[in-house]
Amino acid sequence: MPLRVARIDSTLEQLETGNLKLRVRVLEGERAARRQGVLQVATINTIAAVGLLDVGTQLALRGGLELAAGACYSLAALFSVFVALGFVRVQRLDKFEKEIRG
């Protein structure tokens, strides 16, 4: 036990004199960055879905290009699913953050 106390005392002295520096990770910042990354991907998927929906509508209105319009609509639906999954992930991250903060 006296050896532990001596080591703790030595560590505290080193901290006070500046010979030892603590490294602290900012977990809140890392979680916020992860959340922002998920939101950014969801935003990009939203832009892709809306763009494909617009292109599909233009192709359908032009006539004779129903197959290409259907392909655009299908891809828009796929990107819409990605958007929904992204928002579910954001909600899960928010729930985790709320549980941590209490």
Side-chain angles (χ1 to χ4, degrees):
M1 191 64 128
L3 183 61
R4 270 192 191 170
V5 173
R7 286 181 60 197
I8 291 172
D9 186 48
S10 169
T11 303
L12 286 175
E13 286 179 20
Q14 288 178 350
L15 281 171
E16 289 173 354
T17 59
N19 294 333
L20 181 66
K21 296 191 181 209
L22 287 178
R23 266 185 39 182
V24 179
R25 289 179 56 189
V26 182
L27 296 177
E28 294 85 10
E30 290 178 12
R31 284 192 298 268
R34 186 179 317 132
R35 183 179 188 277
Q36 290 301 321
V38 171
L39 282 174
Q40 184 176 11
V41 169
T43 302
I44 291 169
N45 286 336
T46 303
I47 292 169
V50 170
L52 286 166
L53 187 64
D54 184 40
V55 169
T57 303
Q58 293 296 322
L59 291 173
L61 291 175
R62 181 171 177 179
L65 298 171
E66 287 80 16
L67 183 63
C72 287
Y73 287 145
S74 299
L75 286 173
L78 179 67
F79 278 102
S80 298
V81 170
F82 291 156
V83 170
L85 292 175
F87 284 128
V88 167
R89 190 169 173 204
V90 168
Q91 287 177 342
R92 192 172 52 221
L93 289 172
D94 287 344
K95 181 181 176 185
F96 179 74
E97 183 76 22
K98 186 178 179 182
E99 289 174 0
I100 289 176
R101 291 187 183 213

